[in-house]
């Protein structure tokens, strides 16, 4: 399986290019045609909403058969799609992660959408940049979601620490104070802070921390490794100290589910609020703590694209048009911050986000979209991601030399950056 994953990662761009231009004319199918869209979420509330929208579409389109939302685990998501493409079983539509956007958009594998999206003029420009090439939109920016900090205020109170709102008012909502709060909770018998989908594998999620130091994975032109920059060394040293010395974060191999009440804080996006069960514990959602470089925001994005070589590409594009129209975008905004300017107000989003208060939506989501930086992405990101992950493995031991490990990351990936 590891060999298959490596092959899929290495050949992602090649496979997408083949998907874009290979093959002959697809025979015209008879009868209602099924559609399949790959997604990473398995959340029941998300799936319920997706299926409701699909059912509404099918009522008016008898030429469309079943519409299946195919859940693929997040950690293997892009690799699995790549393998499906290689095996001639590409989906009709795909939920594309920001990390692989350059490959999907640049390959020509996706159908153009500019003339298909309803009221496309109201899409906020910052949300479409990653999904465009030469002025054409190749995936709809389905979710532009800044990361925030969910806090179990019951655990904070039990550890006799200040609540996030108190620290914010005192101008102390920063990584130094947050680490102390989490360390105190850990001493009290629970875990401190976790980063959702990190688990010492998804290193790109660490951008939600290192952004506070002004660190980044690659130079702006994508040609230089920045993992051993002074800013990154300082940020990663902070993380290493938090994990192995202060115990403010659970170490490798420790499972701590914030949504089950196991940890004090988790960095996540608002879509994960659906995982909070009423009455389990009191909680808050606040912006990411400020770092040495001040306040910052980090955005995770997902686009939905239509595979050009799908035998049902035209139907799939029409369904995507319906799925993302203003009315359905308003429904989806309950979990996935929209790209439409008409919906990006605290009052509007509060109507579909009953778990979140208007000020939480304003501070974390709306302000975050205006100022945030998207998580790392690069052409060939799948191969880069695996290489970086392996090169970072030595960092997750108590006696690691942070600078030496980060120098090793750059030694591995610099030849891959095309400089």
């Amino acid at each position: 399986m590891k060999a298959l994953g490596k092959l899929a990662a290495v050949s992602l761009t090649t496979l997408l290019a083949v998907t874009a231009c290979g093959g002959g004319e697809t025979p015209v199918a008879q009868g209602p045609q099924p559609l399949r869209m790959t997604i990473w979420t398995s959340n029941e509330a998300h799936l319920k909403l997706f299926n409701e929208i699909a059912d509404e579409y099918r009522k008016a389109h008898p030429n469309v058969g079943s519409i299946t939302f195919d859940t693929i685990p997040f950690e293997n998501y892009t690799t699995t799609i790549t393998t499906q493409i290689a095996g001639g079983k590409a989906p009709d539509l795909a939920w594309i992660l920001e990390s692989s956007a350059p490959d999907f958009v640049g390959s020509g594998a996706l159908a153009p959408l500019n003339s298909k999206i309803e009221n496309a003029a109201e899409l906020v420009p910052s949300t479409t940049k990653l999904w465009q090439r030469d002025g054409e939109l190749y995936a709809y920016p389905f979710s532009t979601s800044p990361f925030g900090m969910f806090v179990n205020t019951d655990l904070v109170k039990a550890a006799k620490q200040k609540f996030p709102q108190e620290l914010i008012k005192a101008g102390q909502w920063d990584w130094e104070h947050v680490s102390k709060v989490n360390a105190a909770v850990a001493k009290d018998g629970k875990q401190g802070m976790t980063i959702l989908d990190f688990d010492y594998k998804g290193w790109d999620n660490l951008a939600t921390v290192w952004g506070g130091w002004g660190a980044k994975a690659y130079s702006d032109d994508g040609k230089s490794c920045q993992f051993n920059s002074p800013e990154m060394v300082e940020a990663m040293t902070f993380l290493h100290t938090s994990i192995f010395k202060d115990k403010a974060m659970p170490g490798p191999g420790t499972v701590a589910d914030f949504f089950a009440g196991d940890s004090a804080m988790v960095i996540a996006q608002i879509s994960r609020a659906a995982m909070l069960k009423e009455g389990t514990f009191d909680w808050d959602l606040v912006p990411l703590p400020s770092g040495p470089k001040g306040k910052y925001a980090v955005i995770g994005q997902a686009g939905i694209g239509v595979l050009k070589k799908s035998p049902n590409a035209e139907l799939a594009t029409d369904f995507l048009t319906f799925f993302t129209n203003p009315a359905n975008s308003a429904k989806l905004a309950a979990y996935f911050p929209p790209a439409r300017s008409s919906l990006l107000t605290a009052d509007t989003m509060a109507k579909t986000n009953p778990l979140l208060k208007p000020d939480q939506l304003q501070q974390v989501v709306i302000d975050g979209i205006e100022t945030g930086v998207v998580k790392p992405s690069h052409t060939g990101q799948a191969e880069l991601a695996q290489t970086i992950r392996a090169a970072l493995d030595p960092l997750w031991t108590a006696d690691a030399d942070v600078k030496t490990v980060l120098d090793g990351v750059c030694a591995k990936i610099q030849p891959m950056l095309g400089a």
Side-chain angles (χ1 to χ4, degrees):
M1 288 302 293
K2 288 183 179 179
L4 177 61
K6 184 175 181 181
L7 173 63
V10 171
S11 57
L12 175 58
T13 304
T14 301
L15 287 173
L16 290 174
V18 170
T19 302
C21 61
E25 292 297 323
T26 303
V28 178
Q30 302 297 317
Q33 297 303 299
L35 295 175
R36 180 171 69 95
M37 178 171 133
T38 53
I39 59 176
W40 61 259
T41 182
S42 60
N43 183 271
E44 291 182 4
H46 300 169
L47 294 173
K48 181 175 183 291
L49 177 55
F50 292 173
N51 283 305
E52 286 174 354
I53 294 174
D55 289 344
E56 184 181 353
Y57 178 77
R58 290 177 62 238
K59 288 178 183 177
H61 296 81
N63 58 330
V64 177
S66 62
I67 299 178
T68 303
F69 297 97
D70 183 9
T71 298
I72 297 172
F74 181 86
E75 59 270 18
N76 299 317
Y77 184 79
T78 300
T79 300
T80 302
I81 295 176
T82 304
T83 306
Q84 290 181 2
I85 292 171
K89 297 180 180 179
D92 301 295
L93 304 97
W95 180 339
I96 302 167
L97 305 178
E98 74 283 298
S99 59
S100 54
D103 286 317
F104 275 91
V105 173
S107 68
L110 302 177
L113 300 175
N114 267 8
S115 63
K116 307 296 183 180
I117 300 302
E118 190 173 330
N119 292 359
E122 72 164 340
L123 299 181
V124 177
S126 63
T127 68
T128 59
K129 183 178 180 181
L130 195 60
W131 312 101
Q132 288 177 322
R133 186 182 66 173
D134 299 329
E136 178 64 69
L137 186 69
Y138 286 97
Y140 182 89
F142 162 68
S143 178
T144 298
S145 188
F147 287 85
M149 186 80 84
F150 286 90
V151 182
N152 183 327
T153 52
D154 284 351
L155 291 183
V156 172
K157 182 178 180 180
K160 298 181 173 57
Q161 298 298 301
K162 291 183 179 179
F163 290 153
Q165 296 298 341
E166 294 179 278
L167 292 173
I168 290 172
K169 289 179 181 177
Q172 296 177 335
W173 183 244
D174 53 46
W175 279 115
E176 179 183 354
H177 286 86
V178 168
S179 182
K180 290 178 180 177
V181 172
N182 284 299
V185 172
K187 288 180 182 178
D188 209 35
K190 289 287 187 176
Q191 295 294 336
M193 186 194 81
T194 59
I195 303 171
L196 206 64
D197 297 322
F198 168 48
D199 193 27
Y200 295 90
K201 300 173 185 176
W203 60 266
D204 56 334
N205 290 295
L206 295 180
T208 58
V209 178
W210 77 47
W213 280 258
K216 49 192 175 182
Y218 319 113
S219 59
D220 291 340
D221 62 7
K223 294 182 179 181
S224 300
C225 174
Q226 297 292 296
F227 271 92
N228 58 357
S229 67
E231 295 84 1
M232 184 68 83
V233 172
E234 188 177 346
M236 288 296 208
T237 299
F238 166 80
L239 275 167
H240 192 270
T241 300
S242 295
I243 297 164
F244 295 104
K245 181 180 178 181
D246 299 338
K247 311 297 183 183
M249 293 176 62
T254 302
V255 177
D257 183 356
F258 172 85
F259 300 97
D262 297 338
S263 65
M265 302 182 191
V266 65
I267 295 176
Q269 295 158 299
I270 68 163
S271 60
R272 303 308 179 99
M275 299 169 68
L276 290 163
K277 295 181 180 179
E278 188 174 353
T280 304
F281 53 80
D282 286 337
W283 57 275
D284 198 358
L285 172 64
V286 292
L288 296 175
S290 61
K293 292 293 179 69
K295 294 182 179 180
Y296 67 105
V298 177
I299 296 171
Q301 268 202 317
I304 300 176
V306 174
L307 273 297
K308 191 185 293 184
K309 293 301 292 183
S310 160
N312 301 311
E314 187 174 345
L315 286 178
T317 301
D318 191 66
F319 174 61
L320 178 56
T321 300
F322 179 80
F323 192 80
T324 60
N325 68 24
N328 285 324
S329 290
K331 297 174 184 177
L332 293 166
Y335 310 109
F336 309 102
R340 297 183 179 277
S341 57
S342 62
L343 300 175
L344 279 176
T345 68
D347 290 339
T348 299
M349 292 193 68
K351 294 176 183 177
T352 52
N353 287 272
L355 291 175
L356 300 175
K357 301 172 183 177
D359 62 332
Q360 292 173 325
L361 291 165
Q362 181 67 49
Q363 294 172 8
V364 177
V365 180
I366 298 171
D367 292 349
I369 289 175
E370 290 180 359
T371 63
V373 176
V374 178
K375 283 172 57 183
S377 65
H378 197 286
T379 302
Q381 180 72 7
E383 184 183 5
L384 280 166
Q386 289 191 357
T387 303
I388 293 168
R389 173 182 166 180
L392 282 174
D393 278 347
L395 185 62
W396 312 128
T397 59
D399 59 352
D401 184 303
V402 176
K403 179 65 164 60
T404 298
V405 173
L406 297 181
D407 281 339
V409 174
C410 283
K412 289 287 187 179
I413 71 168
Q414 186 57 53
M416 303 165 64
L417 297 180

